[in-house]
Amino acid sequence: MKSNDLLSLLSRFESTLSDFSFEELGSEEASRLKNSFQNFKKDLQNRVYGEKSSNGQPPEEDSQNDHPSKTGSEESNLIANVSHEIRTPLNGIIGFADLLKESRLDKGQLINVNAIQSASYSLLEIVNELLEYSKLASGKEQFQRIEFNLFGLVRDVIFLCNTLITNKKVTLTSNITQDIPEFLIGDPSKLTQVLLNVMGNAIKFVNEGEVCLNITQSETSEANLLLEFEVKDDGIGIAKDKIDQIFDPFKQADADTASKYGGTGLGLSIVKQIVENLGGSINIKSNLGIGTTFKFTMPFEKGNQNQKTTGTSERKDSPQDLKSVVGLNILVFEDNILNQRLIEQRLKVWKCHIHITDDPEFGMEALENNDIDLVLMDLRMPIMSGFEITKLIRNSDSRRIREIPIIALTADYTIQDKEKCNSFGINDYLLKPFSPEELLSKLVAYQNYHERPVQSSESAKRAKVKSSDTSELVNLIGLFNDSSEDVVVLEDLVLLFKKNVDEFIANAEIQLNEEDVEGLAFSSHKIKAGLVMTRANSLLKTILEIQNGCNEFPDWKHLEFLYVRFVNDYPKVERAIDKALKDLKEN
Ligand code: ADP
């Protein structure tokens, strides 16, 4: 059968599903549906990976080959087409199974529908990874070449990795040598993907111990450099005779890895393809029972915005910087009251004049009536987004207002956001949660913007990469430092945090009842900053899961389950916060 025939069959399958009445499905039929679905999955794997595979797994013989069993461009195209086309009906199956779950099902039927859904999700994961792998193998994957902040990227990766650690004692550390420039040109999303995969594996295979990311510069010239990334863990390790295979698709070190740790065995083959496509190399050293070290290199160009740092890693706010920002007139667009208070507190200490609002009208008035030097702009706000307000500012009749520097404040900064920021005329960004030093460096950089259109701070602080102990329920030290070590301010912030949580609990309940997916996504986005600041990692994990679940086909039952988990976990966290606050007050 030709690939087109298969594709048209699949789309017919999809339309048949639309006419299908799941309400009439009995438990026996549901079970037959599950079986036939699993056969379909197995058959598909056999077709894509060759008939030799009798158990639905890809064939063993090709372990020396870096590519899947059929690697010609025709086969790659077929894999890409099949994977791509299969996602639509698969999403249909997931959506219909959701609908089915809402009808009155008995326990047995529910178990069957859940099995269909979980099989669909794992098939979707395989299909997505397969699609990516085939694109990489056929050289069709497009790589970006944009300027990005390496230190910010690593901080995000560490933050995300910390959220992966649950119920075990794993410490994450990271070191970047000081000679590496802050801004590089390359593909930040691919670098993030590789780091998340390798570090995610390390976290997965360490039960108790340490995962360390070291970044050094191994070659450098005027315009380019080669970075070496080392991810070292003291986890379960890999047996010597298995090491050579682990970059092959669908290969795991042990037969029981998938059942014990999950995964498809595709991650490292994708990582290898990405690294090599970008002109780097990857290797691994491992000792069973002792640990594993992955090393990979990646070439980059040096960025244009690089700031020469003064050599030492820790920089205290220099008296000149502190003096130079005194009296700056700053307008802050931010709707989260906790963030409002935090920024206000910082700016007050530096003797800046502050106007804070989430209301575009009030903000535009403040711009007209005051000689504002700088705008800090939260990108996600309820009345009007940061992008829309930026548009208003950039289209103003007054040249002074039009040219005011705008710095975006954002927790989820993606490449798309960067492009959007540039196109809307946003000058720079600060990743939340940001340290006082990072904020100060931006103020210094943009304080005389009108005289010096693009000016970076000579002594701007590098993004500080820190790890946090996630075994704790909360950690208020960061917030305490941010409050200028003033317990009264901290107490105030904690109160606002609790208010934020109460609001989230009330709003999310309504949004769940009304199945308002956008509202729920927004509420969970809003609560995230407070959870990051208080290092309430277990709650944060639940919120990230809720955010992930707010997609095109929300599983309302699962979202409700996550919400209940949040509500149940919160009292413990609240008690831990009260205790941490009390301890800080007493010291
Ligand atoms: P997955 O994690 O989805 O199984 P990968 O391709 O990312 O697939 O990894 C392949 C296999 O390599 C894993 O299943 C595991 O057996 C082994 N592996 C990868 N990283 C580590 C590590 N840090 N420690 C021990 N084993 C590892």
Side-chain angles (χ1 to χ4, degrees), residues 197 201-202 204-205 233 236-238 246 251-253 257 262-268 292 294:
N197 203 301
N201 272 347
K204 187 158 84 171
F205 295 109
D233 69 61
I236 63 170
I238 303 169
I246 61 152
K251 284 284 153 62
Q252 297 187 312
T257 305
T264 58
L266 265 173
L268 285 177
T292 305
F294 278 92

Side-chain angles (χ1 to χ4, degrees), residues 527-560:
I527 188 75
K528 229 165 60 178
L531 298 173
V532 171
M533 283 176 213
T534 52
R535 308 284 192 269
N537 290 331
S538 58
L539 293 182
L540 180 63
K541 194 174 163 282
T542 306
I543 288 296
L544 291 174
E545 281 181 55
I546 294 181
Q547 259 197 322
N548 267 339
C550 289
N551 51 34
E552 224 183 317
F553 299 107
D555 178 346
W556 288 107
K557 287 236 162 66
H558 187 58
L559 287 171
E560 208 174 305

Side-chain angles (χ1 to χ4, degrees), residues 379-418:
L379 291 181
R380 291 188 69 169
M381 278 179 299
I383 306 176
M384 217 184 230
S385 81
F387 291 112
E388 287 168 304
I389 302 177
T390 302
K391 210 156 129 193
L392 285 183
I393 296 174
R394 293 294 178 239
N395 289 335
S396 160
D397 292 337
S398 146
R399 187 171 165 206
R400 177 185 63 80
I401 296 178
R402 268 198 317 269
E403 292 183 355
I404 279 173
I406 301 176
I407 295 176
L409 308 175
T410 171
D412 333 280
Y413 195 70
T414 62
I415 289 137
Q416 287 80 5
D417 287 335
K418 183 180 165 75

Side-chain angles (χ1 to χ4, degrees), residues 150-166 170-174 192 195-196 199-200 203 211 213 410-413 431-434 438 463-470 524-525 527-545 547-548:
L150 175 74
F151 290 72
L153 181 149
V154 171
R155 189 178 58 170
D156 281 359
V157 167
I158 296 287
F159 168 71
L160 284 172
C161 286
N162 266 317
T163 65
L164 296 177
I165 306 171
T166 44
V170 178
T171 327
L172 288 186
T173 53
S174 64
T192 305
L195 284 173
L196 280 178
M199 295 194 62
I203 292 165
V211 174
L213 167 68
T410 171
D412 333 280
Y413 195 70
L431 274 181
K432 291 181 193 176
F434 43 83
E438 284 167 319
K464 210 158 123 196
V465 181
K466 262 193 191 168
S467 66
S468 64
D469 181 355
T470 49
S524 22
H525 172 80
I527 188 75
K528 229 165 60 178
L531 298 173
V532 171
M533 283 176 213
T534 52
R535 308 284 192 269
N537 290 331
S538 58
L539 293 182
L540 180 63
K541 194 174 163 282
T542 306
I543 288 296
L544 291 174
E545 281 181 55
Q547 259 197 322
N548 267 339

Side-chain angles (χ1 to χ4, degrees), residues 171-190:
T171 327
L172 288 186
T173 53
S174 64
N175 302 298
I176 308 185
T177 50
Q178 283 305 310
D179 54 342
I180 299 177
E182 194 169 345
F183 287 91
L184 301 176
I185 296 171
D187 191 330
S189 74
K190 287 283 180 275

